[in-house]
């Protein structure tokens, strides 16, 4: 069923009786060409691109709970491509371009809103760093614009410009960046993959990987064994657990990141804003809530909740940046488990086990990467070679010294 | 989280900074045949368990001691707190 304005009018006139569930609930077949573990954003995007771009029709996505119930359903919905390093920026700009055409590609309203992002700077050193980053973005085909304090004041008059310690000296803007409705992204990819014949198998936990003579033959699940020529793992915070079933240890630690939503307010924030003197980023949802977040809690955890010191730290950052939100009440807060890699950059690669592929280490930047991650993982699964924009995301890069460390903080996952 | 410091008693976790897996105490021998491989594993690869985890915390806003905390990563429950010095000596380190 295609969605269109005509369809909406027709359904409105016939009592909305024609809307049907948009994906099937199939029982698993005995064997697939490709199985993707994980029905989150990246797994579902992989299935979509496998079927639509790479012509693979005998594909299944197996998901422990319900699709879109993990990090794709619990992030701050920001989409951007303002990275600096060669290994990253072409990939994220590829993702940005996919976002721009995503709703047409999926025939699904993902509420993609290119409202822009501004990264504020507060010192001369930071201005230099952002100038350099903006130039790297432009060299890679992205858009970037450097604003001085007066230009920022025109667009964001409510910010705390004259703070004694951290005066706002300007900002790096990416106009094409923005936000998207996170759940709709998962549902749109799921619907599209299902229409192409992909089996999306929910409530089916992978309990083991069947590996014989160094080759992966399929997955053991709570619904029995499912055979596959190739198995791709895209499980974010659970990467260590699933790859542990293959006896692998990863350059990854699992950490919790908290996010927050205020009560609904009248429209105040025209774009996504990040604070340069503390860790705080914020946007306003279409319902009016301020959606914001900050630092990781900083210790290994698989619990989807954090602790209060970080809540205090994030709210302090917010009030320092925009004192007007001091009276707004916090409505909801939650935590998601992040697969923090040792250099802050992701991994999309083969593994030492034949037929087993890994996609993970997205840290807390996975949402913006969803379409490109799926596209590049599908390319790797279908053709057994990396997509041109994802060649740097090697699993063995820590051994060969080819780290992609945007922040330059080294092998300390809780600092990325 | 409250960390029950062996010398100072219960302290708020916000007084500490976190380093990571307590296996970082076991620094490999730089002169060994397999030193390159061993240092790669030491520096970059982690068990990352869901469950009991031994980890290094530094009492930065306190007495500046290093602690080995045994904590459950699914529940945040802390079952054991030791001075890192004692753990390292028990593993055969001189200090």
């Amino acid at each position: 069923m295609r969605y269109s304005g005509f369809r909406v009018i027709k359904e409105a006139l016939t009592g909305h009786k024609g809307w049907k569930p948009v994906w099937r609930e199939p029982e698993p077949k005995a064997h697939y060409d490709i199985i993707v573990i994980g029905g989150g954003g990246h797994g579902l995007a992989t299935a979509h691109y496998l079927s639509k771009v790479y012509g693979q029709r005998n594909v299944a996505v197996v998901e422990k709970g319900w699709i879109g119930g993990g990090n794709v359903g619990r992030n701050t919905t920001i989409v951007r491509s303002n990275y600096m390093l060669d290994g990253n920026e072409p990939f994220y700009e590829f993702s940005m371009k996919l976002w721009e055409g995503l709703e047409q590609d999926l025939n699904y309203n993902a509420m993609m809103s290119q409202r822009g992002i501004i990264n504020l700077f507060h010192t001369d050193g930071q201005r230099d760093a952002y100038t350099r980053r903006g130039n790297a973005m432009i060299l890679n085909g992205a858009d970037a614009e450097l604003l001085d304090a007066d230009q920022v004041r025109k667009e964001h008059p409510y910010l705390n410009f004259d703070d004694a310690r951290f005066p706002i000296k300007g900002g790096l803007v990416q106009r094409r960046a923005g936000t998207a409705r996170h759940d709709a992204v998962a549902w749109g990819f799921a619907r599209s993959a299902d229409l192409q014949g992909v089996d999306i198998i929910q409530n089916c936990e992978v309990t083991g990987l069947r590996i014989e003579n160094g080759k992966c033959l399929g997955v053991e699940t709570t619904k029995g064994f499912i055979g596959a020529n190739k198995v791709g793992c895209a499980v974010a915070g659970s990467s260590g657990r699933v790859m542990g079933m293959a006896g692998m240890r990863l350059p990854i630690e699992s950490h919790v990141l908290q996010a927050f939503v205020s009560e609904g307010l009248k429209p105040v924030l025209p774009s996504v804003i990040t604070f340069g003197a503390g860790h705080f980023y914020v946007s306003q949802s279409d319902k009016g809530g301020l959606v914001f977040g900050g630092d990781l809690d900083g210790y290994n955890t698989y619990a989807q909740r954090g602790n209060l010191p970080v809540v205090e730290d994030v709210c302090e950052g917010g009030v320092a940046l925009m004192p007007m939100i001091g009276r707004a009440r916090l409505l909801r807060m939650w935590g998601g488990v992040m697969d923090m890699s040792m250099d802050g950059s992701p991994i999309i690669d083969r593994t030492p086990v034949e037929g087993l592929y890994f996609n993970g280490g997205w840290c807390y930047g996975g949402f913006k990467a969803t379409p490109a991650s799926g596209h590049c993982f599908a390319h790797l699964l279908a053709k057994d070679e990396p997509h041109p924009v994802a060649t740097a995301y090697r699993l063995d890069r820590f051994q060969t010294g080819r780290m992609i460390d945007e922040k330059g903080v080294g092998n300390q996952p809780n600092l990325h | 989280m409250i960390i029950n410091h062996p010398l100072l008693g219960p302290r708020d976790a916000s007084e500490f900074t976190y380093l990571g897996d307590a296996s970082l105490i076991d620094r490999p021998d730089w002169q060994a045949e397999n030193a390159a491989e061993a240092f790669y594993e030491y520096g970059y690869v982690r068990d990352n368990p869901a469950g009991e985890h031994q980890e290094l915390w530094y009492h930065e806003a306190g007495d500046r001691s290093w602690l080995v905390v045994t904590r459950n990563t699914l529940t945040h429950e802390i079952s054991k707190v030791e001075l890192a010095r004692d753990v390292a000596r028990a593993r055969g380190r001189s200090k």
Side-chain angles (χ1 to χ4, degrees), chain A residues 81-82 89 93 97 134 136-144 174 176:
Chain A
S81 65
N82 53 0
E89 182 56 17
E93 178 52 23
K97 290 199 172 78
M137 290 162 65
I138 291 166
L139 283 172
N140 283 292
D143 62 306
Q174 185 179 26
R176 287 161 61 239

Side-chain angles (χ1 to χ4, degrees), chain A residues 49-367:
Chain A
Y49 290 108
L50 270 173
S51 55
K52 196 157 182 184
V53 176
Y54 297 100
Q56 302 284 332
R57 295 300 157 92
N58 192 16
V59 175
V61 176
V62 293
E63 163 57 44
K64 175 175 73 172
W66 60 88
I67 59 168
N71 289 348
V72 76
R74 46 177 65 233
N75 56 71
T76 47
T77 76
I78 299 165
V79 170
R80 58 184 172 87
S81 65
N82 53 0
Y83 284 70
M84 188 175 77
L85 298 179
D86 287 344
N88 274 333
E89 182 56 17
F91 172 85
Y92 285 103
E93 178 52 23
F94 178 61
S95 197
M96 194 66 235
K97 290 199 172 78
L98 290 175
W99 279 112
E100 289 176 319
L102 191 70
E103 291 166 320
Q104 285 69 35
D105 184 27
L106 299 179
N107 177 234
Y108 202 86
N109 181 8
M111 293 168 67
M112 177 69 190
S113 161
Q114 291 183 286
R115 58 185 68 183
I117 185 168
I118 179 162
N119 305 123
L120 298 170
F121 53 77
H122 310 266
T123 64
D124 293 347
Q126 246 181 343
R127 180 193 286 119
D128 292 348
Y130 280 158
T131 307
R132 183 179 173 209
R133 194 203 294 199
N135 285 332
M137 290 162 65
I138 291 166
L139 283 172
N140 283 292
D143 62 306
E145 204 178 313
L146 201 72
L147 303 187
D148 62 24
D150 288 338
Q151 288 168 303
V152 176
R153 201 186 287 268
K154 269 189 201 124
E155 294 182 25
H156 303 278
Y158 47 83
L159 295 176
N160 186 11
F161 283 86
D162 304 317
D163 185 278
R165 282 180 75 195
F166 306 116
I168 293 169
K169 297 202 163 193
L172 178 68
V173 177
Q174 185 179 26
R175 303 273 179 209
R176 287 161 61 239
T179 59
R181 170 84 199 281
H182 51 357
D183 297 316
V185 173
W187 300 332
F189 276 125
R191 170 172 169 270
S192 171
D194 182 87
L195 283 172
Q196 306 285 332
V198 172
D199 282 356
I200 297 171
I201 304 158
Q202 305 186 74
N203 300 309
C204 179
E205 182 175 359
V206 170
T207 54
L209 297 165
R210 187 176 290 182
I211 296 168
E212 285 174 19
N213 300 321
K215 187 178 185 332
C216 186
L217 304 177
V219 294
E220 308 282 355
T221 75
T222 49
K223 294 190 177 183
F225 174 75
I226 312 174
N229 298 341
K230 294 175 180 174
V231 174
C233 173
V235 296
S238 298
S239 294
R241 282 200 267 192
V242 175
M243 298 309 278
M245 295 172 189
M248 289 175 60
R249 296 164 76 229
L250 299 171
I252 285 174
E253 286 180 3
S254 293
H255 286 260
V256 67
L257 179 70
Q258 302 190 65
F260 311 85
V261 179
S262 79
E263 61 189 324
L265 304 170
K266 288 183 178 177
V268 282
L269 302 189
S271 76
V272 184
I273 302 170
T274 73
F275 188 26
H279 202 158
F280 175 81
Y281 48 90
V282 62
S283 64
Q284 189 168 22
S285 78
D286 292 350
K287 280 196 290 186
L290 302 179
V291 184
F292 58 97
D295 270 326
L296 295 169
D297 272 42
Y299 44 80
N300 284 49
T301 176
Y302 284 87
Q304 287 177 320
R305 63 171 189 278
N307 272 297
L308 291 172
V310 167
V311 180
E312 185 180 18
D313 181 65
V314 172
C315 292
E316 279 173 356
V319 175
L321 178 66
M322 40 182 85
M324 68 170 180
I325 65 171
R327 301 288 289 275
R329 277 166 294 199
L330 206 55
L331 192 65
R332 291 186 290 132
M333 50 194 267
W334 66 93
V337 182
M338 309 289 127
D339 38 340
M340 299 300 299
S341 69
M342 285 287 168
D343 61 357
S345 294
I347 295 158
I348 305 175
D349 203 0
R350 286 183 282 252
T351 69
V353 177
E354 192 190 336
L356 180 63
Y357 300 75
F358 179 67
N359 175 333
W362 291 99
C363 300
Y364 46 80
F367 181 68

